[in-house]
Every structure is written in C-alpha cells, then in structure tokens.
Amino acid sequence: MAYETIIVEVEDHVATIKLNRPDALNALNSQLMRELSDALRDADGNEKVRCIILTGSAKAFAAGADIKEMSDKSFVDMFLSDYFGKEHDAVTRVRKPIIAAVAGYALGGGCELAMMCDFIIAADNAKFGQPEINLGVVAGIGGTQRLTRFVGKSKAMDMHLTGRFMDAEEAERSGLVSRVVPAKQLMAEAEAAANKIAEKSRMTAMAVKESVNRAFETTMSEGILFERRMFHAMFATEDQNEGMEAFLEKRTAQFRDK
Ligand code: HXC
C-alpha cells in the first residue's frame, strides 16, 4: 500500500515502520495515525511477519501530536471525532510483538506511542517527555496512565507537571526503556532483537505479550491464573514439544507455529 507519512519495509520476518514527516519532526497528524493503524493491521495479518519495529528519524521518533492540526479544534470536534481514540486502540490491538526504536525526541503523543509498543530500545540521544501542560492540555493517548506504571507516581507527576524532558540514561534507570545504545547502532540493535524474537514460536511470542499485558489490566491473582492457564495451553502445541525435545537433544529448536 502507498503511504505518504510512513515508510514500511518487510525484510525476512520483520516489518519496520518508519514515521516520516521530517519537516515536522514526525508530529502525529490524523493522516499519519490512520496510515500507521493500517500498516500495523497489515503487518499483524501478514503471515510472513513475526515481529514489528516502529521507529522515526535520527532527530525525532515523534515530537508529539501535530499542534498545527489541533490548534483550532473545539471540544466538540475532539469529542465527536474521538481524536486518536480509534488509532490508539488499533495500536494496542496488535498481537505480534512491537519494538519501539527511539532516537531523538519522543514527546507527548510520541512518548505515548513508544509506550504503547511492547518495549523501547533507545538511542543515547533520545529525549522523552510529556510537555502537553505547556500547551494547556494533558496527555491524550495514555501518557498519564502508562508513564505512571513505567516510572512510578513521583517521576510521572514531575514529567507531566513540569513538562521537562528525560534523557536516555534517566529513562533506562527509571524503567521506561529496556536498553540504551549508541545512536548509530540503534537500528542494528532493534533488528537483532526483532530477529531473535522472529526465531521463536509465533504463538508463544503472542502468548507472552498477552500475559505480560495482563499485568496492566487485572489483579495479581487473576494475572497469575491467566498466565498459568496460558502455560498449560502451550502444552497443546507442537512447538512446546519441539522446544523441549530440542533442549534435551542439545540442538536449536525449529518452531513451526503448530
Ligand atoms: C507540529 C511540530 C511539532 C508538533 C515540532 N514541530 N514539533 N509541528 N506539531 N508537535 C515542527 C516545528 O513547528 C518546526 O516546523 C519543525 O517541526 C522543527 O521544529 P523546531 O521547533 O524548529 O525544532 P527544535 O528547535 O529543534 O525543537 C525541537 C522540539 C520542539 C523541542 C521537539 O519542536 C518542540 O517543543 N515541539 C513540540 C513538542 C510538544 O509540545 N509536543 C506535545 C504535543 S501535544 P517549522 O515549520 O517551524 O520549521 C501532544 C498531545 C498528545 O502530543 C495527545 C494525542 C491525542
């Protein structure tokens, strides 16, 4: 499909979606969010794809929702269109693993989009922030909820109330990102992680994603029960048999998604 605001490449088993509005530091407008939703749905439905990377440019993952597009909207416009609501839900409905590879600015909606992914690998020049307060608004696609779960109340309040940016080192220390790498190595690191995930059973990877995400949606005992049932269910798959047999035979498992 031809997109104007994103670039999609599928190589081996990894789909890479690059946000591409360089003149606006990849600000998220309605067209980009629509195209991103479509591309993610396609990648999720593409049998060949086993992992997705979402990235931006060297200067910006995304500098937030597009302020030019939003500036003259009214409450009624935002409410009736449920601004970015459908697109938020589309990103979070993707069942395959998504890695955010973040260089430069990930601000406002950009930080929120990165947090919707399954984990974040950051370049050492990455800067995260929720500066919506400077515009007289609050975060709108999960920033108050997800950042708080990642970094705790004190730091989340600090970020949202002062609008300050967090560098990559602080983001890693706070649990917002899983790894920090030199900027030049960002894509190689993300691709290596994606290829590693692509070697696993697709079902198991999806079950991991569903199980970890349960931790954000339910109580500890319900989450652990969900996990245990998922663990039991894996014993109905050939991939469980293959994984365990391969270990015992001291060879690499060949998963077949069965
Ligand atoms: C529209 C943006 C933009 C944005 C940058 N640009 N961020 N356009 N929306 N969010 C544009 C600038 O207008 C400028 O265009 C070009 O990108 C380069 O930006 P500069 O400001 O000149 O670059 P620089 O001086 O390097 O500063 C980088 C920056 C700054 C610190 C990232 O651009 C910035 O503060 N941007 C806004 C960040 C922000 O407030 N984000 C939250 C948005 S609200 P021109 O045409 O002048 O060259 C949000 C709500 C989410 O995200 C809720 C969703 C429902």
Side-chain angles (χ1 to χ4, degrees), residues 21-28 59-60 63-70 78 83-85 105 107-110 112 129-132 134-135 137-141 165:
R21 296 189 67 217
D23 295 344
L25 299 182
N26 292 334
L28 310 172
K59 185 165 182 200
D66 191 315
I67 300 167
K68 285 182 194 133
E69 180 177 272
M70 293 186 295
M78 297 305 255
Y83 195 71
F84 289 2
Y105 296 109
L107 305 177
E112 295 173 290
Q130 297 286 168
E132 289 92 340
N134 298 330
L135 303 168
V137 293
V138 302
I141 42 175
F165 301 164

Side-chain angles (χ1 to χ4, degrees), residues 77-243:
D77 296 331
M78 297 305 255
F79 181 84
L80 290 183
S81 67
D82 191 22
Y83 195 71
F84 289 2
K86 266 202 307 286
E87 294 82 359
H88 167 275
D89 295 349
V91 178
T92 57
R93 267 199 303 272
V94 173
R95 297 180 70 210
K96 290 177 184 166
I98 313 178
I99 301 171
V102 174
Y105 296 109
L107 305 177
C111 185
E112 295 173 290
L113 181 59
M115 290 191 290
M116 281 181 229
C117 298
D118 297 312
F119 63 97
I120 302 173
I121 300 180
D124 54 9
N125 73 342
K127 286 195 167 28
F128 298 87
Q130 297 286 168
E132 289 92 340
I133 196 166
N134 298 330
L135 303 168
V137 293
V138 302
I141 42 175
T144 60
Q145 305 306 297
R146 289 197 178 90
L147 189 64
T148 309
R149 283 164 165 81
F150 282 119
V151 305
K153 174 182 166 183
S154 188
K155 205 176 274 285
M157 283 286 193
D158 177 359
M159 302 296 294
H160 281 283
L161 286 172
T162 67
R164 78 175 175 89
F165 301 164
M166 195 193 269
D167 65 19
E169 192 273 323
E170 184 181 2
E172 186 181 31
R173 179 159 36 90
S174 320
L176 176 58
V177 310
S178 71
R179 342 176 176 173
V180 178
V181 296
K184 281 200 177 110
Q185 287 166 27
L186 177 67
M187 289 316 292
E189 185 85 5
E191 282 158 14
N195 284 318
K196 178 67 72 190
I197 292 167
E199 290 168 9
K200 318 292 183 203
S201 162
R202 199 152 54 113
M203 281 175 304
T204 318
M206 288 158 86
V208 166
K209 175 165 174 163
E210 280 185 22
S211 301
V212 173
N213 280 334
R214 271 290 143 138
F216 295 96
E217 304 292 348
T218 191
T219 62
M220 182 71 121
S221 58
E222 285 300 318
I224 287 173
L225 181 59
F226 181 90
E227 176 198 84
R228 190 182 312 138
R229 294 297 179 235
M230 195 66 98
F231 172 66
H232 295 160
M234 293 294 117
F235 285 76
T237 69
E238 289 178 19
D239 283 346
Q240 168 270 328
N241 203 30
E242 166 63 9

